[in-house]
Structure formats: C-alpha cells, structure tokens
C-alpha cells in the first residue's frame, strides 16, 4: 500500500514538473508539489527503513526512495533560491548510474508481471534522471523533450500504477 501511496505522488510531481519544464507552471508555484512529494516519499522511506517490519529488502527500497525525495526537495530548493541547477544535474547523473543496475537486476530476475513492470520503471527513471543531467549539468538544449518525457513518465510510472496499487488492482 505504501508503494501505491508514494507512486501517486511521484506521478503528480513528475506530471507537474514536466508541465513546469514546458513553461506552463511558474517557478515559485512548482515548489509546493515538490515539497509535498518530497515529504510523502521521505515518510514512506522512513517507514520502510525503520518500521517494525523493516528488513534488508525494505531498507534497500527506502534508500532508493530517498533518491526521489532528494530530487524533489532539491528542485524545490532551486526554485526558492533561483540557482541554475547544475548541482541537481550532477546528482541526477549519480542517480541514473545508481539505478541502471537496479533496472537490469529487476528485469533479469523478474518472476512476475509486477517484477517486470518495476524493472521497466527503474529503466524509465534512469533515462529520465540522465536527461536531467544532460539538461542541467551539461546545459544541452533538450528542455522540451525532457518536459514531455517527464509528463509521460509521471503518468506511466507513477500516477496510473499508484492508483491501481491503491485500489488493489496491481
């Protein structure tokens, strides 16, 4: 249930951040969803890492979830202090490189449709974080395509599966 809860907010923040990247939401306004989503994913990570049922798998999930948390809070911070985002870009490279093996491992050891779906999500997120690296750290002119990829990723990897998980249909 916590995965559905977190993914619903991942979907919301990615969808809205994509719209923001395409110039449809103001810099100051995007702070709210990033802070809320950062808080939600932080709470999920803390529960997974330190809850009564914490084990090696839940602690690993918490560590990976905190990569999302850090990204969202960093986006919010960057909008408040108005910086160019290069630090977030380099962090995004770190995250992309970190999650590629997670995607590969998830896809090669998948034993169910859900396992495959999760492996594909990690692959999509790795590509997305790499795009943020290219956009923010290397200043490549890929703003529009990154915005579109972020919107699509939010819908495909967050919003829809989050709702399905919360409804018990996935």
């Amino acid at each position: 249930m916590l995965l559905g809860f977190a993914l619903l907010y991942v979907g919301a923040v990615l969808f809205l951040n994509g719209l923001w990247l395409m110039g449809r939401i103001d810099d100051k306004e995007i702070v709210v969803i990033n802070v809320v989503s950062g808080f939600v994913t932080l709470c999920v990570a803390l529960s997974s890492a330190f809850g009564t049922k914490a084990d090696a798998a839940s602690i690993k999930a918490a560590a990976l979830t905190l990569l999302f948390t850090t990204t969202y809070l960093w986006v919010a911070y960057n909008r408040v202090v108005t910086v160019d985002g290069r630090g977030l870009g380099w962090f995004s490279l770190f995250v992309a490189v970190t999650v590629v093996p997670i995607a590969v491992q998830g896809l090669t050891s998948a034993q169910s449709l859900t396992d495959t779906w999760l492996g594909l999500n990690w692959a999509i997120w790795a590509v997305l974080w790499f795009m943020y690296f290219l956009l923010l750290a290397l200043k490549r002119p890929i703003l529009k395509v990154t915005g579109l990829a972020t919107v699509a990723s939010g819908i495909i990897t967050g919003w829809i599966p989050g709702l399905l998980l919360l409804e018990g249909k996935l």
Side-chain angles (χ1 to χ4, degrees):
M1 190 61 67
L2 283 178
L3 179 58
F5 178 54
L7 284 177
L8 181 65
Y9 281 87
V10 167
V13 74
L14 289 177
F15 179 78
L16 293 170
N17 279 345
L19 292 176
W20 164 66
L21 288 170
M22 293 186 291
R24 298 180 185 247
I25 298 175
D26 185 69
D27 275 0
K28 300 291 185 202
E29 214 174 0
I30 202 63
V31 171
V32 174
I33 191 63
N34 280 280
V35 169
V36 170
S37 298
F39 180 74
V40 166
T41 57
L42 174 64
C43 290
V44 168
L46 292 174
S47 176
S48 297
F50 302 111
T52 57
K53 296 181 182 180
D55 60 13
S58 68
I59 292 169
K60 177 182 177 182
L64 295 171
T65 300
L66 287 173
L67 297 172
F68 289 89
T69 301
T70 304
T71 302
Y72 305 145
L73 294 177
W74 204 326
V75 169
Y77 172 79
N78 284 357
R79 301 302 23 108
V80 171
V81 299
T82 317
V83 295
D84 69 1
R86 279 183 286 180
L88 177 57
W90 285 103
F91 175 73
S92 296
L93 176 63
F94 168 82
V95 176
V97 170
T98 300
V99 302
V100 165
I102 302 300
V104 170
Q105 179 185 27
L107 290 169
T108 58
S109 67
Q111 297 180 0
S112 68
L113 184 59
T114 301
D115 292 343
T116 302
W117 161 77
L118 196 52
L120 288 172
N121 278 359
W122 283 112
I124 290 167
W125 293 326
V127 169
L128 196 59
W129 265 305
F130 188 72
M131 290 177 79
Y132 299 145
F133 162 69
L134 294 174
L135 177 69
L136 298 170
L138 300 185
K139 303 298 182 192
R140 297 289 193 261
I142 59 167
L143 183 61
K144 184 175 181 177
V145 71
T146 303
L148 289 170
T150 303
V151 167
S153 177
I155 294 168
I156 294 166
T157 69
W159 186 9
I160 292 172
L163 284 174
L164 291 173
L165 283 165
L166 288 172
E167 291 292 329
K169 296 180 181 178
L170 183 65

